[in-house]
Amino acid sequence: MEKDRKFNAVVTGVGMYVPEKIMDNAFFEKIVDTNDEWIRSRTGIRERRLLENGATSDLATKAAEDLLKSKNMTADEVDVIIVATVTPDMFFPATACLVQNNIGAKNAWGFDLSAACSGFLFAFQTGCSLIESGRYKKVMVIGADKMSSITDYTDRNNCILFGDAASAVLLEPSEDHTIGLQDSLLRIDGSGKNALYMSGGGSLNPPTHETVDKKMHYIFQDGKAVFKVAVKGMADISYEIMQKNNLSSEDIAYLVPHQANLRIIDATAERMGLSKDKVMINIDRYGNTTAATIPLCLTEYYRDGKIKKGDKLILSAFGAGFTWGASYLVWSI
Ligand code: COA
């Protein structure tokens, strides 16, 4: 990444929201043919959260408010709001507009970004670029998904995987180039479109009684196919960004992986030569919350005092599209 720019984008605040209602593995034993041992050993998940009333903008608003409160700042200071999500409240207006109105960010503009499980990583790079340009001073990047709104709770292959959550980071400029976003490698490959998708409701298959009957408004996933490419895609790109930046496993404080499956995370850490204590994990408590997983990890580990200024982090994700990537971030608070 070019070093001649004036500003680096650095994380100066975090926030999160998870709904109170817990769906543990015992809950799924009652509604589909599954069991706690299968779910834990195949995915690493013990429980996830469910938003019973409300929408993605409500999750995102609460995460944004938590961030503002912890920073003791007012919403009118925010210049840009980017919401990464595949479960927007509606096609339009953008969820970012709803969040803007809810928190009263009267000087902000913003937009939604759709990159499924890589959504936060893509939005994070976008937000950092806006800061690096020198034009904006405070960019809020939110990952938020109400996955329960597109999950078929009769499909045991998928329903056990997902949960609802939102989390946010605040980006600001710094003239100290040793902290903040150092590098990103991001990719898309639409040839993966048939492995993981929701086909109903868009311009290809507008909603009809037939699309509802055929369950086209739910996630479809060929789990085995996605697993194979996700393991390789996430591990390869995480290793590549280490090599490109001359980082050894000793240099890295934490891998911050998208939380889709513990086995995918373990394979990525192994490829990078990282021991388990250097991998952020909360999939056991939240499952796959799509765009929220990475900032949720960052927020929890930061608030638990497990990361400190100067720590070198590798953020890494793989998702529908296909979309995937890795970012090298030096923690700044
Ligand atoms: N409980 C019990 N058995 C289940 C089950 C469940 N919830 N879901 C599937 N099974 C069964 C399957 O039907 C299959 O049975 P069969 O052999 O009789 O056909 C068996 O378990 C093994 O299924 P398989 O798909 O091989 O399991 P897996 O080890 O690949 O694990 C996933 C399934 C979904 C956990 C795994 O494929 C995965 O994590 N994929 C990627 C998911 C992902 O990351 N998605 C988001 C992208 S970011």
Side-chain angles (χ1 to χ4, degrees), residues 33-34 38 42-43 117 156-157 160-161 196 221 223-224 226-227 258 260-261 263-264 288 318-319:
D33 180 13
T34 191
W38 191 97
R42 297 296 180 110
T43 70
C117 293
R156 71 171 182 173
N157 294 291
I160 52 122
L161 298 173
L196 180 51
Q221 173 167 233
K224 220 173 261 190
V226 174
F227 186 85
H258 169 56
N261 186 311
R263 291 182 292 148
I264 299 175
N288 182 351
F318 190 96

Side-chain angles (χ1 to χ4, degrees), residues 238-306:
S238 304
Y239 184 70
E240 195 183 332
I241 204 162
M242 279 176 74
Q243 297 288 99
K244 191 173 163 228
N245 291 279
N246 298 315
L247 294 169
S248 72
S249 50
E250 287 79 49
D251 296 327
I252 295 167
Y254 280 104
L255 166 67
V256 192
H258 169 56
Q259 314 275 311
N261 186 311
L262 193 55
R263 291 182 292 148
I264 299 175
I265 296 171
D266 287 346
T268 303
E270 194 178 324
R271 182 80 199 281
M272 296 169 73
L274 295 178
S275 51
K276 281 197 185 333
D277 59 319
K278 287 189 165 195
V279 184
M280 290 194 190
I281 299 288
N282 59 19
I283 190 173
D284 50 326
R285 286 175 294 127
Y286 304 128
N288 182 351
T289 57
T290 303
T293 58
I294 289 177
L296 214 49
C297 279
L298 290 173
T299 304
E300 290 198 330
Y301 275 69
Y302 172 65
R303 289 182 174 174
D304 287 350
K306 292 179 184 162

Side-chain angles (χ1 to χ4, degrees), residues 1 6 22 34 41 54 58 69 94 134 136 179 186 200 234 254-255 257 268 289 291 304 306:
M1 219 167 250
K6 186 156 184 220
I22 293 174
T34 191
S41 62
D58 298 306
K69 191 167 166 234
Y136 301 102
I179 53 173
L186 305 173
M234 227 168 102
Y254 280 104
L255 166 67
T268 303
T289 57
D304 287 350
K306 292 179 184 162

